[in-house]
């Protein structure tokens, strides 16, 4: 499986990092070794002193497809969860300033946290409200209606370049409020009032 991530998909987050609003989705990938699930703890890596949380809605692909039209994208997924796209912001800023790829800052082990998936059968996916709490305090809040590129638009765009396969995951971008995590922090992700993940930083 592969993990496809969207950058700068919420206007306020693009601005908080001083980035322009993109006219096409910004795409990067993480390997399967980046996955962290079942509320296992996240261990701070030794190569960064500025690891940021980015809470994101994550879509699981459940049917293979290529060059999917937006109108048919909905047939390719049936479950979502919340996840964290952990980012070594110091490394990313260094790589960005040199015009280099971001993988070292984005695709490292355990950088792709996923919660428990839930069916979207009775959910309006264009109006999913979600939050991230750090040590009981809300630090990020978003709603999928504020995405610059909708889930269906992302699937359509990405599938022109990468064949999507069953089990692939798409991280759909973070809203504003990203920030640093420290040892001992507890991160809890909620969709509405439903807890999707809850784990510790060590
Ligand atoms: Mg992100």
């Amino acid at each position: 499986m592969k993990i496809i991530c969207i950058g700068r998909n919420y206007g306020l987050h693009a601005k908080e990092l001083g980035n322009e609003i993109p006219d096409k989705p910004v795409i990067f990938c993480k390997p399967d070794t980046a996955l962290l699930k079942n509320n296992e703890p996240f261990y701070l890596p030794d190569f960064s002193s500025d690891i940021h949380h980015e809470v994101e809605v994550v879509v699981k692909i459940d049917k293979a497809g290529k060059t999917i039209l937006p109108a048919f994208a909905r047939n390719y997924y049936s479950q979502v969860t919340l996840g964290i796209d952990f980012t070594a912001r110091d490394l990313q800023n260094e790589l960005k300033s040199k015009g280099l790829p971001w993988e070292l800052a984005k695709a490292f082990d355990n950088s792709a946290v996923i919660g428990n998936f839930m069916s979207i059968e009775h959910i309006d996916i264009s109006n999913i409200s979600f939050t991230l709490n750090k040590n009981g305090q809300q630090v990020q809040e978003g709603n999928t209606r504020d995405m610059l590129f909708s889930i269906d638009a992302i699937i359509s765009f990405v599938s022109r370049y990468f064949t999507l396969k069953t089990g692939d995951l798409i991280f759909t971008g973070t809203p504003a409020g990203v920030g640093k995590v420290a040892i001992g922090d507890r991160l809890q992700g909620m969709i509405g009032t439903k807890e999707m993940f809850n784990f510790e930083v060590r």
Side-chain angles (χ1 to χ4, degrees):
M1 55 83 70
K2 57 188 172 293
I3 303 166
I4 296 165
C5 304
I6 315 304
R8 305 174 194 168
N9 201 25
Y10 290 81
L12 288 176
H13 168 64
K15 280 186 196 158
E16 78 179 340
L17 294 184
N19 294 311
E20 285 177 14
I21 303 290
D23 57 2
K24 278 191 285 195
V26 174
I27 308 292
F28 57 94
C29 293
K30 303 194 187 215
D32 58 3
T33 43
L35 263 191
L36 183 66
K37 50 190 180 183
N38 302 325
N39 288 326
E40 283 168 16
F42 172 76
Y43 288 87
L44 278 182
D46 61 5
F47 49 75
S48 170
S49 52
D50 197 20
I51 298 285
H52 277 201
H53 56 73
E54 296 190 356
V55 71
E56 313 198 355
V57 171
V58 181
V59 177
K60 185 190 279 184
I61 297 296
D62 53 18
K63 187 171 127 183
K66 184 169 176 58
T67 322
I68 300 162
L69 292 172
F72 298 115
R74 184 62 189 76
N75 300 328
Y76 290 81
Y77 62 100
S78 58
Q79 294 179 82
V80 298
T81 189
L82 269 194
I84 292 199
D85 164 23
F86 273 123
T87 303
R89 195 71 70 202
D90 44 1
L91 274 181
Q92 188 195 29
N93 287 339
E94 190 185 323
L95 294 165
K96 269 165 77 177
S97 73
K98 294 176 183 164
L100 294 171
W102 298 353
E103 271 82 353
L104 291 180
K106 282 285 196 184
F108 53 86
D109 286 357
N110 302 327
S111 62
V113 178
I114 54 168
N116 299 316
F117 281 88
M118 64 186 214
S119 165
I120 54 169
E121 202 179 342
H122 303 295
I123 292 180
D124 175 5
I125 51 121
S126 62
N127 186 17
I128 297 175
S129 110
F130 58 100
T131 52
L132 177 69
N133 298 319
K134 186 170 88 169
N135 306 325
Q137 296 270 81
Q138 185 178 298
V139 286
Q140 284 193 269
E141 176 181 28
N143 188 299
T144 53
R145 69 174 169 242
D146 298 321
M147 286 179 167
L148 299 174
F149 302 97
S150 69
I151 291 171
D152 291 351
I154 291 166
I155 287 174
S156 176
F157 179 85
V158 162
S159 69
R160 289 166 57 199
Y161 300 82
F162 306 120
T163 297
L164 294 177
K165 295 173 80 173
T166 302
D168 287 350
L169 299 176
I170 302 180
F171 280 64
T172 58
T174 195
V178 301
K180 186 174 175 172
V181 295
I183 289 173
D185 283 347
R186 180 154 285 279
L187 298 177
Q188 178 195 38
M190 312 282 291
I191 288 183
T193 55
K194 197 170 173 185
E195 182 179 281
M196 308 306 288
F197 63 73
N198 187 338
F199 66 96
E200 196 187 352
V201 177
R202 289 190 189 161

